[in-house]
Amino acid sequence: MTRPRALLVVTGSELVRGERTDRNGPFLAREILERGLEPARLTIVGDGEHELEAALLEGLAGDLLVTSGGLGPTHDDRTVEVLARVTGRELRVDEELRRQIETVSQNVADRLRRPYADFEPGVRKQASLPDGATSVGLAGTAPGLVLVHAGTVVVVLPGPPGELRRLWASAVESRPMQELLARARPPGR
């Protein structure tokens, strides 16, 4: 019996350009292996839409696709919208998630003495989820997500390593991950 295959997609132009070292890919690969899945591929892509789309499409061929990065409020944070497109799902604002992100963003706006209106478009963007996705928590204003598409469990995590690690723990506890892990085989030592 072969172990379920996991494909990892780490995003960020700063990683591709060598301005930062990827810490998320190796962490996730170790975590996945320890849980009895086979980390089959780790892909690092920049913030370009076409590269991200190709990597996500490839990642959907595995039993598990884990993404890191691209969840912020800015125009170049595209992971969720590209994932929705490649899985053929509509993006919808999750109102409970919007309220949670709004609270965090309002505090930031107050601290910076900026109008909340400057933050509102980013709040709506970050609270927009592909149909069928569920949030596994917030790291700052970025939600971690879990989605099942055509049998592939998709886990979407933020890029900052501390935030990723915190939300990874929550994602592992989700029902889709638990069902996948029930088929896993821990590696022999």
Side-chain angles (χ1 to χ4, degrees):
M1 178 171 117
T2 60
R3 288 188 287 200
R5 293 175 63 243
L7 294 114
L8 311 172
V9 176
V10 177
T11 67
S13 293
E14 68 281 4
L15 299 170
V16 174
R17 291 189 299 252
E19 296 167 355
R20 286 211 177 120
T21 300
D22 171 34
R23 295 184 2 218
N24 294 335
F27 166 79
L28 290 167
R30 283 188 306 272
E31 287 284 310
I32 286 164
L33 185 61
E34 285 175 8
R35 285 175 169 74
L37 305 171
E38 184 61 37
R41 179 168 297 142
L42 168 58
T43 303
I44 300 174
V45 297
D47 296 320
E49 194 168 349
H50 300 294
E51 292 80 9
L52 179 58
E53 183 174 313
L56 293 177
L57 282 168
E58 183 179 303
L60 288 169
D63 299 291
L64 173 65
L65 166 60
V66 182
T67 72
S68 161
L71 303 184
T74 62
H75 72 282
D76 61 341
D77 291 309
R78 299 184 173 101
T79 300
V80 172
E81 70 186 56
V82 174
L83 178 64
R85 187 172 61 242
V86 301
T87 59
R89 296 167 188 256
E90 293 291 320
L91 275 177
R92 300 194 197 288
V93 174
D94 179 300
E95 285 302 322
E96 174 58 29
L97 188 57
R98 186 193 61 73
R99 283 188 287 277
Q100 292 172 17
I101 297 169
E102 181 179 64
T103 298
V104 174
S105 296
Q106 184 68 56
N107 289 334
V108 171
D110 291 348
R111 192 173 64 247
L112 297 176
R113 296 188 174 128
R114 287 181 47 198
Y116 174 73
D118 292 354
F119 294 81
E120 209 282 326
V123 169
R124 289 191 63 76
K125 178 181 188 282
Q126 289 184 292
S128 296
L129 306 182
D131 282 340
T134 57
S135 171
V136 294
L138 282 181
T141 59
L145 310 176
V146 174
L147 170 73
V148 178
H149 177 74
T152 301
V153 176
V154 181
V155 175
V156 179
L157 300 169
E163 295 177 3
L164 175 133
R165 289 171 191 224
R166 187 169 76 247
L167 291 182
W168 167 250
S170 298
V172 167
E173 297 303 318
S174 71
R175 171 176 274 158
M177 278 295 293
Q178 287 298 305
E179 290 173 359
L180 177 62
L181 292 173
R183 301 185 350 232
R185 229 185 30 187
R189 296 286 179 212

